[in-house]
Amino acid sequence: MQGFLDWKPLHHSSFERKTFMTTPLVALERISKSFPGVKALDEVSFEVLPGEVHVLMGENGAGKSTLMKILSGAYQPDSGTIYIDGQPTAITDPLHANQLGIAMIYQELTLLDNLDVGRNVLLGQEPTRGALIDWRALYAQAADTLHALGLDIDPHAPLDALNMGERQMVEIARAARRASRVIVMDEPTSSLTKSEEETLFALIERLKARGLGIIYISHRMDEVFRVADWITVLRDGRHIETRPASAFTRPELIALMVGREIDTAVKRTDGAIGQVILEARGLRLGRRVRDVSLCLRAGEVVGLAGLVGAGRTQAAEILFGATQPDAGTILLDGKPVHFASPADAIRAGIAYVPDDRKGAGLVLTLPVSTNLILAALERVANAGVLSIRAIRETVAAWTQRLNIRAASPRMNIELLSGGNQQKVVLAKWLSRQPRVLILNEPTRGIDVGAKAEVHALIREIAAQGVAVLMISSELPEILSVSDRIVVMAAGRVTGEMPARDATEEDVLALAFADELIMEHSV
Ligand SMILES: Nc1ncnc2c1ncn2[C@@H]1O[C@H](COP(=O)(O)OP(=O)(O)OP(=O)(O)O)[C@@H](O)[C@H]1O
Ligand SMILES: [Mg+2]
């Protein structure tokens, strides 16, 4: 058995880790893992100390999730050792990891759609009375957990009544209940906006104070520098650097991740802003969409900002014909139109990239190449015959353009890293050359380098005359990519402004306007 005095730091760092004083809660030593065609991890060492937030950074496909799946028992390493409190331990499966006090919030949500919130939070930990589940206790405990996290979610609510942000909070609640040693958060804020983020950060502080170790994965720099005590950078499955967060500058961190210097500033390739192509007047749908009017012009990027739950996704789905509004009109080129289904909208030249890549964006069981060309079929089809060459060229061009990392275009897309899946979703719709492009959280989970590329691409598409509506919860993205910003709160458009001289505060003031509306509408 390895006592804590014998513990040696596992990798070279010019910065002293306090591993000579404290035994890491968990330590991964020289872990390797290969998948067909790719060495996902190559002798990576990593550890987390009590009360520490250790951020794991790296490009899409760098191996972050794979390393964490090994820690949480979902994958077995090909070689290497895991130490729990200094003792070598084989983690056989996720349940075993839970018993060791390790809980993970997966990047792809793992909630069960057919169960309600309470059952999801307590899944596998259901309180019993004799041989039966004690339902009353179950919902009471779920309510306690949700309440302790400051979440206003009904434990009896069916899961499909929740939006992505709320689902993510339920996933977090479930993990927080289970973690007693280490909690792994793989892009926990990808669907959260400011207020939910604050709830999460407050929770992280409480977990730290209780001596838990937190492993945090994110592509958002602001967030990383806010929560990180230490940062470890992975690149191409290798350990590159471990330092205290304060010992990195942003450009340095980015350069270490991508292996070269890159410029993340959005290059504006402005074209002329033309005619209104799509217009919505007075859209209403139940309580989610109360009054939405907006217009999209050729060549213009409209950023749609707001908090999770503001009704942005519902409004977009109405524009795309996926849901029917209770009231309101949609005009295309100035003429009223009715989209009975997405097929109608697609025929009219509207493309929608949803925020839920698992649900609507991808066919997970099909290869990367098929997903890429699904939406572009008619472009690669030649007089009704699919040209293999055209397909190959389309796939190769987009793979290169967005730096999609797949061992082979024939591999099933569900095996790609999260960020690479998102790039395929984008490419799939961009290759369609729509007139109106609606993007819902287009860079969720995408690394800094590829994000800059996606931003440039959005500007370029607009410059070609496409009307773009970009829903994003990342204010820097809204401010830097848009020409005009429309803000929604509680189902209404609360204001709009040119993006040029808008500030985060301007947008937030309108995004929080619903609290004022609520006060006055009762
Ligand atoms: N089950 C699997 N089968 C085949 N390949 C896999 C599997 N899981 C991961 N990979 C591959 O391993 C590599 C590392 O993936 P991983 O998901 O760890 O990346 P990541 O750093 O989490 O990236 P992201 O930021 O995009 O989430 C990728 O090339 C990915 O396609
Ligand atoms: Mg990942």
Side-chain angles (χ1 to χ4, degrees):
M1 176 183 149
Q2 192 157 14
F4 72 85
L5 285 175
D6 314 322
W7 190 265
K8 303 267 184 333
L10 295 171
H11 41 69
H12 301 290
S13 168
S14 29
F15 296 84
E16 198 180 349
R17 297 275 285 151
K18 289 218 173 71
T19 44
F20 61 95
M21 289 172 62
T22 323
T23 307
L25 293 166
V26 300
L28 296 145
E29 187 184 30
R30 297 161 65 109
I31 299 283
S32 294
K33 177 75 179 173
S34 291
F35 297 110
V38 55
K39 185 148 200 181
L41 294 170
D42 189 2
E43 307 221 327
V44 173
S45 296
F46 178 82
E47 85 270 296
V48 59
L49 300 180
E52 162 182 275
V53 178
H54 201 144
V55 168
L56 199 47
M57 290 207 85
E59 287 184 288
N60 297 132
K64 306 178 295 294
S65 295
T66 303
L67 189 65
M68 291 303 109
K69 284 177 184 166
I70 285 172
L71 176 61
S72 63
Y75 290 162
Q76 293 303 313
D78 297 339
S79 62
T81 314
I82 301 174
Y83 296 90
I84 308 285
D85 286 339
Q87 299 203 51
T89 308
I91 301 179
T92 48
D93 53 60
L95 196 65
H96 185 201
N98 274 179
Q99 286 158 358
L100 294 167
I102 300 166
M104 174 147 174
I105 300 162
Y106 285 95
Q107 187 173 11
E108 307 299 331
L109 299 186
T110 56
L111 301 175
L112 300 178
D113 279 334
N114 50 342
L115 299 182
D116 62 22
V117 170
R119 295 212 54 191
N120 267 292
V121 171
L122 271 292
L123 197 70
Q125 300 193 316
E126 292 85 355
T128 48
R129 225 198 204 160
L132 300 172
I133 292 180
D134 182 347
W135 295 106
R136 186 189 289 242
L138 183 143
Y139 289 104
Q141 287 177 20
D144 279 352
T145 303
L146 294 166
H147 183 74
L149 293 178
L151 298 174
D152 182 21
I153 299 175
D154 177 5
H156 293 281
L159 212 65
D160 52 20
L162 269 50
N163 63 38
M164 288 288 285
E166 291 164 338
R167 282 170 185 238
Q168 206 164 24
M169 290 311 279
V170 171
E171 182 103 16
I172 290 166
R174 175 163 76 170
R177 260 195 83 86
R178 283 164 174 70
S180 57
R181 178 186 302 273
V182 168
I183 184 161
V184 181
M185 305 186 173
D186 197 348
E187 301 189 36
T189 59
S190 63
S191 310
L192 307 182
T193 45
K194 292 273 173 198
S195 58
E196 284 166 319
E197 257 173 56
E198 293 306 322
T199 308
L200 176 65
F201 293 152
L203 168 71
I204 289 177
E205 286 306 318
R206 290 210 299 277
L207 294 171
K208 269 176 82 163
R210 272 171 35 199
L212 264 77
I214 292 138
I215 303 173
Y216 195 95
I217 300 177
S218 172
H219 292 291
R220 297 184 181 176
M221 287 285 170
D222 291 335
E223 187 175 295
V224 165
F225 279 105
R226 179 162 171 194
V227 299
D229 296 311
W230 284 75
I231 300 176
T232 285
V233 177
L234 299 185
R235 187 168 74 229
D236 295 330
R238 287 196 202 90
H239 176 271
I240 301 294
E241 182 69 280
T242 296
R243 289 185 199 169
S246 55
F248 283 105
T249 64
R250 274 182 197 227
E252 239 178 329
L253 183 56
I254 294 172
L256 285 168
M257 283 194 302
V258 299
R260 65 196 146 86
E261 302 276 338
I262 57 159
D263 182 7
T264 53
V266 176
K267 285 163 219 68
R268 286 188 172 270
T269 44
D270 293 345
I273 292 179
Q275 302 268 326
V276 172
I277 300 185
L278 194 70
E279 185 179 350
R281 285 190 194 156
L283 296 183
R284 293 163 62 104
L285 175 63
R287 291 176 353 155
R288 292 277 197 177
V289 181
R290 290 157 188 260
D291 184 12
V292 171
S293 300
L294 51 84
C295 59
L296 306 177
R297 296 188 178 86
E300 186 186 36
V301 178
V302 174
L304 186 54
L307 306 179
V308 167
R312 296 170 301 166
T313 297
Q314 285 78 9
E317 284 174 357
I318 295 173
L319 291 177
F320 189 57
T323 24
Q324 298 305 314
D326 298 335
T329 334
I330 298 173
L331 298 106
L332 183 68
D333 299 317
K335 294 182 204 75
V337 281
H338 173 70
F339 299 142
S341 69
D344 285 354
I346 291 172
R347 235 172 279 128
I350 298 170
Y352 176 57
V353 181
D355 61 342
D356 174 8
R357 59 176 171 254
K358 234 181 174 173
L362 294 174
V363 186
L364 287 171
T365 49
L366 287 178
V368 174
S369 54
T370 317
N371 271 287
L372 264 176
I373 57 149
L374 270 180
L377 270 185
E378 60 265 45
R379 288 191 55 240
V380 292
N382 188 359
V385 183
L386 273 185
S387 144
I388 299 289
R389 215 181 95 207
I391 292 177
R392 279 218 190 99
E393 279 169 6
T394 308
V395 172
W398 284 103
T399 306
Q400 193 199 12
R401 172 128 210 214
L402 293 180
N403 191 14
I404 296 171
R405 302 220 183 149
S408 149
R410 282 183 299 279
M411 80 191 261
N412 275 2
I413 197 146
E414 59 189 336
L415 302 180
L416 282 191
S417 79
N420 282 303
Q421 291 184 13
Q422 179 64 13
K423 292 183 203 171
V424 175
V425 178
L426 272 175
K428 171 179 152 180
W429 288 101
L430 295 180
S431 62
R432 247 196 109 85
Q433 298 191 325
R435 291 185 70 207
V436 176
L437 177 62
I438 305 171
L439 301 165
N440 199 345
E441 304 289 357
T443 61
R444 169 180 295 165
I446 287 188
D447 68 49
V448 273
K451 200 179 252 183
E453 184 61 37
V454 170
H455 288 161
L457 199 62
I458 294 174
R459 291 301 324 172
E460 200 182 305
I461 285 167
Q464 289 163 10
V466 177
V468 181
L469 180 67
M470 180 185 72
I471 301 175
S472 172
S473 299
E474 277 189 69
L475 286 178
E477 175 165 277
I478 288 271
L479 292 168
S480 63
V481 181
S482 319
D483 295 298
R484 183 160 53 94
I485 300 171
V486 174
V487 188
M488 279 181 66
R492 289 170 219 273
V493 170
T494 47
E496 66 171 80
M497 64 191 95
R500 288 250 174 234
D501 30 43
T503 64
E504 295 204 4
E505 287 71 30
D506 296 337
V507 178
L508 279 176
L510 291 169
F512 280 106
D514 62 321
E515 272 147 43
L516 300 174
I517 293 174
M518 291 300 185
E519 276 168 27
H520 294 288
S521 64
V522 247

